[in-house]
Amino acid sequence: MEGKEEDVRVGANKFSERQPIGTAAQGDDKDYKEPPPAPLFEPGELCSWSFYRAGIAEFIATFLFLYVSVLTVMGVVRADSKCSTVGIQGIAWAFGGMIFALVYCTAGISGGHINPAVTFGLFLARKLSLTRAVYYMVMQCLGAICGAGVVKGFEKGRYNSLGGGANVVNAGYTKGDGLGAEIVGTFVLVYTVFSATDAKRNARDSHVPILAPLPIGFAVFLVHLATIPITGTGINPARSLGAAIIYNKDHAWDDHWIFWVGPFIGAALAALYHQMVIRAIPFKSK
């Protein structure tokens, strides 16, 4: 009990990620030392309030993300004339802007992932344990389902006729096109996450510190501009799952695998590129 009370009293994240993600990664310390990789399993996390608090933050953030973004999509789709709505650019801004705001709000609590693909990439880079990664993904998916459900409550009868904001490969494109768009789009996002939150880069290059959520949100905005015509832009398996479950039509499920396989491949490639090339981690020689 004493340990639990101490954790709550100081608000400490006893089992935080080995390298802070988000604005917490931007310190003034120039004597950077490589943090140890996170263990695969860390049972002690399950006894810490900060672990569950981080999951709740991921749930609420993903809930709000789906609520605002899918509601924006509904507003554009239901209009007779796209000129009377925010259009594709507005949809892209809704997604990117919400990521900017939510990463800023949650970076110091959970790292501000809000995306299973981001969590997966950081896990591959050993920034967090498997226990935390799985927990985050579950909470992200639950938040996305709830967020899409609230949107359906607002739209009621029109929700299904408007497509429910579900991701599908649009007419004129193949499943291969959709998969490729998701891989490249997620690579851009996860690579930006790694670069914007790299504490070693700040210590080594003394570049001008930037607000990490800004380039991350801007990356989401740009990827949406490019890929909305192809897949509606997934690059976030939780976002795709939440909309698909609430919409629940066959054609949404037909392409759904693309919005898991593509983002996970893109995240893995971004993690590999950043760790092995950008960070130049040497291979051990025998």
Side-chain angles (χ1 to χ4, degrees):
M1 283 297 294
E2 291 182 0
K4 183 177 180 180
E5 291 175 356
E6 176 69 10
D7 185 39
V8 174
R9 184 179 67 80
V10 301
N13 201 348
K14 290 185 177 181
F15 297 96
S16 61
E17 296 167 8
R18 288 304 183 274
Q19 180 172 320
I21 302 300
T23 52
Q26 300 170 357
D28 296 326
D29 185 8
K30 300 300 180 181
D31 297 326
Y32 177 81
K33 293 182 180 180
E34 188 71 28
L40 188 61
F41 297 102
E42 195 163 12
E45 288 182 316
L46 301 178
C47 301
S48 172
W49 160 243
S50 61
F51 176 78
Y52 297 101
R53 179 185 62 184
I56 294 170
E58 288 292 309
F59 173 89
I60 295 298
T62 315
F63 168 84
L64 295 174
F65 177 58
L66 265 288
Y67 168 73
V68 171
S69 58
V70 174
L71 201 56
T72 303
V73 172
M74 294 289 96
V76 172
V77 173
R78 74 181 180 183
D80 295 329
S81 172
K82 296 298 183 289
C83 294
S84 63
T85 69
V86 295
I88 290 180
Q89 293 87 350
I91 294 174
W93 273 120
F95 278 88
M98 279 303 291
I99 288 297
F100 166 68
L102 294 170
V103 171
Y104 178 83
C105 293
T106 60
I109 301 172
S110 66
H113 298 188
I114 322 172
N115 185 336
V118 171
T119 300
F120 181 66
L122 293 170
F123 165 70
L124 293 180
R126 303 293 301 276
K127 305 297 184 186
L128 69 165
S129 68
L130 178 61
T131 309
R132 185 177 289 263
V134 172
Y135 176 51
Y136 276 16
M137 291 181 190
V138 170
M139 296 301 283
Q140 290 158 359
C141 290
L142 291 176
I145 294 168
C146 293
V150 171
V151 173
K152 185 175 183 178
F154 284 144
E155 294 295 338
K156 300 187 186 308
R158 294 178 296 181
Y159 184 85
N160 288 336
S161 64
L162 296 176
N167 290 120
V168 296
V169 177
N170 293 321
Y173 296 96
T174 67
K175 293 184 185 299
D177 295 333
L179 181 62
E182 289 297 305
I183 291 173
V184 175
T186 311
F187 179 92
V188 172
L189 170 59
V190 178
Y191 175 44
T192 303
V193 170
F194 274 109
S195 297
T197 61
D198 190 353
K200 181 179 179 181
R201 182 180 178 188
N202 186 30
R204 181 192 62 204
D205 299 335
S206 298
H207 72 292
V208 178
I210 57 175
L211 189 63
L214 180 59
I216 296 171
F218 200 63
V220 171
F221 164 70
L222 293 175
V223 171
H224 274 75
L225 283 182
T227 59
I228 282 177
I230 304 174
T231 62
T233 309
I235 67 172
N236 184 333
R239 173 261 188 271
S240 300
L241 179 66
I245 286 179
I246 300 301
Y247 181 54
N248 198 28
K249 298 295 182 181
D250 289 341
H251 69 277
W253 291 114
D254 290 341
D255 298 334
H256 187 68
W257 64 272
I258 291 172
F259 302 101
W260 283 86
V261 175
F264 273 46
I265 292 176
L269 292 175
L272 181 66
Y273 175 65
H274 185 267
Q275 294 298 102
M276 297 301 179
V277 179
I278 302 301
R279 292 294 298 271
I281 297 177
F283 291 97
K284 293 182 179 179
S285 58
K286 296 182 180 179

